[in-house]
């Protein structure tokens, strides 16, 4: 009797996880669709910035085009011209580095 209840609970949890994954996929697809048709609303001024590194290792900021101009400029850039950094990723990796020490 206990085993059947446990299997039912497992099935319920599995159904909830599948529902959550489907819901997340729909939301992500909707956001991607929105970004495809309205890139100027997705690429805000503070979303990305163009910088170059000087010989001394300092980062200097460049003037960045706005809205869809920025989007199309990023699409036409060469792979070596783009370096992606994420503050979220830096924080997460710093947490893992602290755990290793």
């Amino acid at each position: 009797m206990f085993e059947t209840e446990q299997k039912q609970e497992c099935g319920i949890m599995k159904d909830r996880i599948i529902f959550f994954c489907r819901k997340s996929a729909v939301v992500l697809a909707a956001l991607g669709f929105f970004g495809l048709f309205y890139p100027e609303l997705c690429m805000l001024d503070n979303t990305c910035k163009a910088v170059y590194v000087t010989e001394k290792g300092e980062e200097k900021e460049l003037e960045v085009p706005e809205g869809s101009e920025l989007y199309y400029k990023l699409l036409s850039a060469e792979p070596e011209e783009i370096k992606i950094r994420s503050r979220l990723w830096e924080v997460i990796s710093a947490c893992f580095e602290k755990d290793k020490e």
Side-chain angles (χ1 to χ4, degrees), residues 34-49 63-76:
F34 179 78
L36 181 67
F37 287 105
Y38 302 105
E40 63 273 357
L41 297 177
C42 295
M43 300 292 287
L44 302 175
D45 295 336
N46 60 358
T47 302
C48 71
K49 63 179 178 178
E63 187 177 325
V64 178
E66 294 183 16
S68 58
E69 290 177 34
L70 172 62
Y71 178 75
Y72 293 117
K73 205 159 186 93
L74 286 172
L75 283 179
S76 64

Side-chain angles (χ1 to χ4, degrees), residues 6-92:
Q6 197 173 24
K7 285 181 183 179
Q8 286 176 346
E9 288 178 14
C10 234
I12 292 171
M13 284 299 290
K14 184 178 176 183
D15 290 342
R16 287 182 182 170
I17 290 172
I18 291 172
F19 178 73
F20 175 77
C21 290
R22 286 183 180 169
K23 197 175 190 180
S24 299
V26 168
V27 168
L28 290 175
L31 289 174
F33 186 76
F34 179 78
L36 181 67
F37 287 105
Y38 302 105
E40 63 273 357
L41 297 177
C42 295
M43 300 292 287
L44 302 175
D45 295 336
N46 60 358
T47 302
C48 71
K49 63 179 178 178
V51 295
Y52 68 94
V53 180
T54 63
E55 293 176 1
K56 296 179 181 178
E58 300 172 348
E59 290 185 351
K60 301 274 183 164
E61 199 167 328
L62 297 172
E63 187 177 325
V64 178
E66 294 183 16
S68 58
E69 290 177 34
L70 172 62
Y71 178 75
Y72 293 117
K73 205 159 186 93
L74 286 172
L75 283 179
S76 64
E78 297 293 323
E80 58 270 356
E81 293 179 320
I82 298 176
K83 180 182 176 185
I84 298 174
R85 288 188 355 194
S86 168
R87 289 188 184 159
L88 177 62
W89 180 253
E90 290 173 1
V91 169
I92 291 171

